[in-house]
Amino acid sequence: MHEYYMRQALTIAEYAIGRTSPNPLVGAVIVRDGRIVGQGWHRQAGTPHAEIHALNQAGELARGATMYVTLEPCSHYGLTGPCTEAIIAAGIRQVVAAMTDPNPEVAGNGFKKLREAGIEVIEGVFAEAAARQNEVFLKWITTGMPFTVLKTATTLDGKIATVAGQSQWITGPEARNFVHMLRDRYDAIVTGIGTVIADNPQLTTRLPQGGKNPVRVIVDSMGRTPPDANVVSDGQARTIIAVSRDAPRQKLELLARHGAEIWELDRANGGLDLRALFRRLGKDRLTGVLVEAGAALNASLFNDNLVDKVHWFVSPQIVGGHSAPGPVGGAGIAALSGAITLEDVETGMVGKDLLITAYIARREGRDVYRACGRIGQS
C-alpha cells in the first residue's frame, strides 16, 4: 500500500517540472483511514513546499494520518520555514519518504527531528525513482555542477547536415516539439559560436501552451557573436557569452551594450576552460543544462566528462558524403576500449524519428544518482 500512495506523490511532483530550480521536485500525499485527504507539490523556489500544501488541504484530517513524501522534509529555515515543524504541529502520525535529502542543511536531520517528536518514519520507498526524478537537483546540490543533457539529431548514416551544410530539418515536427519541452525543463541551453553563425538560432521555448525560456549560453572564445544575432538582439531571454581573456575588447563591449553578459574564462585543451564555465553556471544556480551544439563543442564536452545524459534522435534518412558532418568531432579514439559507454538505454519513437535516451557511464553525476537512490534501502 505504501507503494500506491508514493506513486501518487511522485506523479504530482512532476506537475512542477522545470519550475522549482534550484529546489528539487517534491510531491506529498496525506492519507487517513485509507483515503487521500490532502496532497500538494512544490511549485516554485521561495514558495511553500509540497508538505505545506498537503497539510493545508488536509486541515484537521491530518491529525493521526500518514504523509507520503518524495524527499525528506526540510528541517531548516530558508526562504520558507521548516516543514518538519509544520508536520509535527499538524499531528501527523507516520511519514513515509522515498529518500534522504542530500542537501547538507537537511541530510537526515529532518528524519531525526520527526523521530524525536514520536513520529514513525519509513525511508526508501521508491528511492531510485525519486532519485531519477530529481537527478538534476541531486548532481547540483552534491557537486556544485549542473546536470548536463546533450541533445543531437542525426540521419541514419550519422550526419547532422548535408555536404552543403543544410540541417533543417533532419527530424520531424514531433521531435522538434520534444526539444522545446526539454528547453522548458532545463535552466540553461548551451551552444557554440559555429551554430550561432550558421543557423542564427533563437534557443527559446516555443510550445503551443507557452513555456519558460532557458538562459542562453554561447561558447565563443573570440567574441565573434554578431550583435544582431537573435540570441543577443531579441530580448527573449538572458544571454551569456563565454569568451577567452584575449578576445577583442571592442567586440565584447559592443555585445555588452546590446545586453549580453560577458564571462571571461581561461583557455584549456586548445579552447575555453569548459569545466570552469560549468562550475560558474552551477554557482549561478543554473542546475540543469541542455546542450544543442555542433561536433566540435560536443566533442569537447565529452572529453571533459561534462555530459551526464543524452537524447539522441535518429531520422530515417540517408544523406551520405565524406564531408557531411557528424555529431561528435575532435580527434576521436584509436581503440574501442576508449569509447564513451552509455547505460540505462531507452528507445522509442517520436513521430517518425527514433529517440535514444541514455546516461553516460562512469560519470560523477550518475555516481551521485546511484548513491542517493540507495539511501534508506537495505
Side-chain angles (χ1 to χ4, degrees):
M1 189 57 68
H2 288 330
E3 288 78 8
Y4 175 84
Y5 294 116
M6 188 61 74
R7 282 194 191 97
Q8 176 66 11
L10 288 165
T11 296
I12 63 177
E14 291 280 332
Y15 293 166
I17 196 162
R19 300 297 181 270
T20 63
S21 180
N23 287 356
L25 295 166
V26 184
V29 172
I30 299 174
V31 177
R32 178 169 172 172
D33 299 327
R35 182 170 65 93
I36 294 176
V37 296
Q39 56 185 344
W41 61 94
H42 184 41
R43 288 159 167 76
Q44 186 177 354
T47 66
H49 291 183
E51 299 94 323
I52 304 304
H53 287 297
L55 288 170
N56 287 342
Q57 189 176 99
E60 283 302 313
L61 292 176
R63 191 162 300 279
T66 295
M67 173 179 283
Y68 294 85
V69 63
T70 58
L71 191 68
E72 176 185 7
C74 67
S75 55
H76 66 287
Y77 284 91
L79 296 177
T80 60
C83 290
T84 50
E85 291 186 4
I87 292 169
I88 293 166
I92 290 288
R93 175 184 62 83
Q94 181 186 61
V95 171
V96 180
M99 60 176 291
T100 302
D101 187 345
N103 183 344
E105 294 184 314
V106 186
N109 288 324
F111 291 150
K112 181 174 180 288
K113 290 189 176 182
L114 293 175
R115 288 183 172 115
E116 288 174 346
I119 296 174
E120 180 187 6
V121 176
I122 298 174
E123 305 174 48
V125 178
F126 284 146
E128 289 193 17
R132 180 175 293 235
Q133 183 178 77
N134 269 316
E135 60 193 8
V136 171
F137 171 75
L138 296 181
K139 173 155 186 213
W140 176 75
I141 200 66
T142 56
T143 70
M145 297 285 280
F147 186 88
T148 301
V149 179
L150 186 144
K151 167 263 162 185
T152 193
T154 69
T155 60
L156 191 60
D157 55 340
K159 309 297 185 180
I160 62 172
T162 67
V163 292
Q166 183 181 354
S167 60
Q168 296 179 334
W169 297 99
I170 285 178
T171 55
E174 296 88 352
R176 297 198 292 274
N177 187 73
F178 181 91
V179 172
H180 285 286
M181 289 191 293
L182 291 178
R183 292 179 182 182
D184 181 60
R185 174 176 295 197
Y186 294 103
D187 296 335
I189 182 168
V190 172
T191 196
I193 181 58
T195 299
V196 171
I197 291 175
D199 300 334
N200 191 22
Q202 293 175 281
L203 303 181
T204 53
T205 299
R206 299 184 296 280
L207 293 168
Q209 68 272 26
K212 169 181 66 68
N213 288 330
V215 175
R216 301 174 292 197
V217 182
I218 314 303
V219 179
D220 177 13
S221 61
M222 294 306 293
R224 293 190 294 139
T225 301
D228 60 352
N230 285 324
V231 292
V232 177
S233 63
D234 66 8
Q236 294 300 303
R238 176 185 174 196
T239 296
I240 297 165
I241 301 179
V243 303
S244 66
R245 301 191 189 281
D246 52 354
R249 294 294 100 189
Q250 288 184 329
K251 289 185 177 181
L252 303 186
E253 290 168 2
L254 180 60
L255 289 168
R257 285 200 298 272
H258 280 78
E261 293 180 39
I262 307 299
W263 287 10
E264 294 188 40
L265 301 168
D266 293 329
R267 287 188 175 274
N269 304 318
L272 287 182
D273 187 340
L274 295 176
R275 185 157 286 272
L277 170 61
F278 278 62
R279 277 198 301 269
R280 185 164 175 181
L281 293 173
K283 287 181 180 178
D284 207 42
R285 297 161 72 88
L286 299 172
T287 63
V289 169
L290 176 66
V291 175
E292 294 186 40
L297 182 54
N298 286 347
S300 296
L301 292 168
F302 279 123
N303 289 339
D304 286 346
N305 294 341
L306 290 169
V307 179
D308 297 294
K309 184 177 182 179
V310 299
H311 288 298
W312 198 295
F313 284 100
V314 180
S315 171
Q317 303 178 81
I318 298 171
V319 300
H322 290 296
S323 61
V328 182
I333 60 166
L336 283 175
S337 59
I340 295 167
T341 304
L342 303 180
E343 62 185 9
D344 293 353
V345 179
E346 296 179 357
T347 61
M349 299 303 296
V350 179
K352 68 180 180 63
D353 303 301
L354 173 67
L355 173 61
I356 301 169
T357 298
Y359 293 85
I360 309 301
R362 301 183 302 276
R363 294 293 188 264
E364 59 184 349
R366 294 296 287 153
D367 294 340
V368 167
Y369 157 72
R370 285 188 169 131
C372 292
R374 287 196 297 264
I375 290 175
Q377 293 188 322
S378 59

